[in-house]
DNA sequence: CATATTGACTTAAACGATTAACCTATATAA
DNA sequence: TTATATAGGTTAATCGTTTAAGTCAATATG
């Protein structure tokens, strides 16, 4: 089937070509394309068939230049390999596409310079807005462009539109569950406290804990599978019955270390995570954790973004989405507090 | 620090603004921006400071319209939640960015209509090329636009530039390893044979196997964690000593099923996978599998793409990257198969 | 009947860059 | 001396749209 080979030797058909083909002016063609102006049914048909015939596809660059709207947004992420992000990215992209926006992806690999450059590039490309998950606590936008709409996702920042999960509630749910299972010696691996997302989980957890249990030790660790020296050391002390990790990746890394040292999970040490990343129910033991509504997060982010694009002067808005605990098998119930915790070899 | 607020009430500074500020023509400004034409050092300095002063940032839409180059490419993926893709996406994006190209992300969620729409949209946006990992064996580009440069990644297609791993070698390595561990009753869960990537693993495996072992059963399964009814049934037959899965996700799903049915892996049934996705060493038991050079794949893809962009008439080119086996603990050694005067060393 | 109003188009001016073509003074060559 | 490069600019056309403004007949209004 020889598809409409446009007769011009090279390149796309333009409005002008279509107009000539249909025997009308370019304006008329534009009017029928945009359903604006007023054109007779007769002419409309002609134009439409001319469009089809020439395989016309509008030039978005030209459109953008004329209208000022590029129909694109940007998405800046720290690291797609972190299993938290793929689903987020997917939902942002899909939501954007169903709003007739294309999305530029920027994966900074956690590099601040890449983040800065990325933002700059996106602005050059004239994105109408940016969905941003900050790699650090640096606030690049103050510097570059305060007038590009931005919504910050997952790691809320003051003076922005934010969308994130109810980390405080998540922390509380974890505390309740641990308490109800009878744990009272706790090791806490908290995330980078400069991120609200980490700080709030910690706060929620500690608040709910109150005096009902003791935090024997606490270390701060990055949100990744690389555990710091102190974290590893703490884990092997075996002076706690449960370890609360700032997210699932840390939790999984911890399980690995414990296994390597023949410490049984959850028999000897229980573990909880946060995020409910896709693999948290594949790992042994399946992880008790807090489920974030990843794909809603993404959808909501583009909602917020579109709101701000349409109304740049609207007041800042934060939406926080509900979370839930998902109980699997990484926490064991402790019957008697004092008696049971001995050392039993493999 | 009140940053260069351009005096015009709204919007970005333009070439014209800079020119006025520097007291020269727009052409001159353009020349210094592009290091073309000839301008005196004197004027060059003036212009540069004017650029800085007004916070000028070029309008890529205008540039694109004039030059025909959008400096963008598209990337079409089936599903970011499949752990095979995030690293790929990341490396493509990074490679593109270091070539001064921004990338549009399209995640089709395995939907063919989304794929068709996505491709069409990308063409509308005037991407200079597309990195495509097909969701199906449909060949959309024939229909839409044969003149947009495309490189197909991971699932080679005839008449395209392709980049993929040496699946045949991967299959062979697996066969060798299984044989050397003394297995001779094999269950094979192969991937969708309409994908070359699946067909070649199978072929490599079977060819290397020869008559040295028996494939007791074979089923075809999609490249996902959802196992078909027949697959599940076969797994529970327990008439094989090793199951060869078409990729790691299938392998992991299989382990899960087996565990649920109290069948020990690898004690009773060994398992191998393919891909070496990030979690294959976290799962219990850690998976023996074939490692694909994901990030090289991405890099190579944009190399190929740039080659074709620069020279659209170049002959089609396929690059296939080397793979290696990574041996973990999901395959156990079988001591004595039969009491032959065998060549098995302990 | 003269005058508005409307419907159906067309003309042409933007949008912001790039770049071929042109201009002018000064240096070089013959 | 006159002819000729060359360096350092400027002018204006152009890319493909959108859209305000204009044209002109046909119809409606009073």
């Amino acid at each position: 089937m020889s598809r409409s080979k446009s007769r011009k030797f090279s390149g796309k058909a333009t409005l002008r070509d279509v107009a000539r083909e249909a025997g009308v002016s370019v304006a008329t063609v534009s009017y029928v394309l945009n359903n604006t102006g007023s054109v007779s049914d007769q002419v409309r048909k002609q134009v439409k068939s001319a469009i089809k015939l020439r395989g016309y596809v509008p030039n978005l660059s030209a459109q953008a230049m004329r209208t000022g709207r590029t129909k694109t947004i940007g998405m800046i992420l720290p690291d797609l390999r972190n299993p938290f992000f793929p689903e987020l990215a997917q939902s942002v992209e899909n939501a954007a596409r169903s709003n007739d926006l294309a999305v530029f992806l920027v994966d900074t690999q956690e590099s601040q310079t890449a983040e800065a450059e990325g933002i700059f590039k996106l602005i050059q490309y004239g994105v109408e807005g940016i969905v941003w998950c900050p790699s650090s606590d640096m606030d690049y936008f103050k510097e570059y462009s305060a007038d590009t709409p931005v919504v910050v996702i997952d790691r809320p920042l003051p003076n922005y539109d934010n969308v994130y999960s109810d980390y405080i509630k998540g922390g509380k749910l974890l505390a309740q569950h641990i308490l109800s299972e009878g744990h009272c010696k706790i090791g806490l691996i908290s995330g980078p406290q400069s991120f609200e997302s980490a700080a709030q989980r910690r706060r929620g957890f500690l608040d709910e804990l109150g005096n009902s249990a003791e935090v024997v030790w606490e270390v701060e660790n990055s949100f990744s599978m690389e555990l710091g020296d102190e974290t590893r050391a703490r884990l092997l002390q075996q002076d706690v019955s449960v370890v609360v990790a700032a997210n699932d990746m840390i939790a999984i890394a911890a399980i690995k270390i414990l296994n390597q040292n023949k410490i049984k999970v959850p028999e000897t040490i229980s573990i909880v995570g946060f995020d409910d990343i896709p693999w948290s129910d594949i790992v042994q033991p399946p992880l008790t954790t807090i489920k974030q509504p990843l794909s809603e997060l993404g959808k909501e982010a583009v909602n917020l973004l579109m709101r701000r694009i349409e109304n740049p002067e609207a007041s800042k808005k934060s939406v926080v989405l509900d979370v839930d605990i998902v109980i699997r098998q990484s926490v064991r119930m402790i019957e008697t507090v004092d008696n049971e915790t001995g050392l039993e070899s493999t």
Side-chain angles (χ1 to χ4, degrees), chain A:
Chain A
M1 269 35 80
S2 79
R3 202 102 207 80
S4 60
K5 270 286 191 208
S6 90
R7 296 211 299 291
K8 298 173 55 178
F9 67 109
S10 113
K12 314 272 158 207
T14 150
L15 257 202
R16 187 179 263 71
D17 295 327
V18 174
R20 192 173 309 144
E21 179 82 39
V24 297
S25 73
V26 292
T28 301
V29 179
S30 177
Y31 287 140
V32 358
L33 279 163
N34 301 343
N35 272 329
T36 146
S38 96
V39 334
S40 65
D41 284 1
Q42 159 76 340
V43 169
R44 188 179 302 275
K45 301 246 187 257
Q46 286 178 33
V47 169
K48 281 192 171 168
S49 76
I51 287 172
K52 201 145 292 176
L53 180 64
R54 307 295 295 242
Y56 170 78
V57 18
N59 179 324
L60 287 212
S61 296
Q63 221 163 251
M65 184 166 46
R66 180 64 229 245
T67 64
R69 299 206 48 197
T70 57
K71 295 185 175 180
T72 61
I73 65 174
M75 171 168 60
I76 304 184
L77 300 178
D79 188 354
L80 268 177
R81 286 171 310 182
N82 178 334
F84 180 82
F85 292 114
E87 188 174 347
L88 202 61
Q90 179 178 71
S91 65
V92 167
E93 192 272 328
N94 275 274
R97 184 144 40 88
S98 59
N99 281 303
D100 200 28
L101 292 170
V103 4
F104 284 117
L105 170 67
V106 176
D107 181 316
T108 66
Q109 305 220 46
E110 307 269 11
S111 146
Q112 298 206 10
T113 59
E115 191 169 34
E117 286 177 18
I119 290 172
F120 187 66
K121 268 296 163 69
L122 288 180
I123 291 178
Q124 273 201 210
Y125 277 84
V127 295
E128 298 186 30
I130 296 181
V131 173
W132 182 31
C133 180
S135 293
S136 68
D137 49 348
M138 284 283 304
D139 185 348
Y140 293 105
F141 284 97
K142 297 271 91 89
E143 182 137 356
Y144 284 131
S145 158
D147 53 354
T148 303
V150 175
V151 5
V152 172
I153 200 163
D154 181 60
R155 296 170 178 181
L157 247 36
N159 286 71
Y160 284 90
D161 292 318
N162 294 297
V163 36
Y164 58 100
S165 299
D166 193 341
Y167 300 117
I168 296 198
K169 176 178 173 189
K172 291 191 183 206
L173 287 174
L174 250 19
Q176 285 166 16
H177 182 247
I178 284 170
L179 254 20
S180 79
E181 298 292 301
H183 292 271
C184 55
K185 300 275 189 186
I186 298 175
L188 180 55
I189 309 178
S190 50
Q193 295 300 302
S194 53
F195 291 149
E196 275 301 307
S197 58
Q200 290 186 7
R201 310 171 190 207
R202 176 176 180 276
R203 170 142 316 286
F205 178 77
L206 258 23
D207 283 358
E208 184 72 16
L209 211 59
N211 297 330
S212 313
E214 179 194 355
V215 174
V216 179
W217 50 258
E218 173 177 1
V219 288
E220 197 170 313
N221 203 90
S222 76
F223 270 152
S224 80
M225 295 211 33
E226 267 94 66
L227 300 186
D229 289 339
E230 191 190 349
T231 308
R232 306 167 93 94
R234 289 298 193 186
L235 278 170
L236 301 181
Q237 284 179 201
Q238 301 195 50
D239 50 1
V240 300
S241 67
V242 62
V243 169
V244 176
N247 73 1
D248 289 347
M249 299 187 74
I250 296 177
I252 291 173
I255 290 176
K256 203 173 170 187
I257 296 281
L258 291 173
N259 280 340
Q260 281 169 4
N261 290 77
K262 312 287 184 207
I263 302 174
K264 293 251 177 191
V265 180
E267 289 76 4
T268 307
I269 296 188
S270 297
I271 290 203
V272 298
F274 206 112
D275 285 351
D276 192 31
I277 61 176
W279 303 93
S280 50
D281 70 329
I282 293 298
V283 87
Q284 270 311 328
L287 215 53
T288 289
T289 186
I290 299 293
K291 181 182 187 54
Q292 291 201 49
L294 251 29
S295 95
E296 281 78 6
L297 236 37
K299 245 181 274 185
E300 201 54 55
V302 346
N303 280 349
L304 266 189
L305 192 54
M306 301 217 38
R307 165 179 176 272
R308 177 147 311 280
I309 290 172
E310 281 159 19
N311 182 4
E313 307 303 333
S315 61
K316 302 297 181 197
K317 181 171 171 183
S318 285
V319 359
V320 5
L321 297 180
D322 198 27
V323 299
D324 242 322
I325 190 168
V326 8
I327 295 173
R328 297 204 182 90
Q329 289 126 58
S330 64
V331 176
R332 71 147 188 160
M333 162 101 88
I334 295 201
E335 302 82 8
T336 318
V337 189
D338 272 18
N339 234 350
E340 185 74 11
T341 28
L343 52 128
E344 28 180 323
S345 44
T346 63

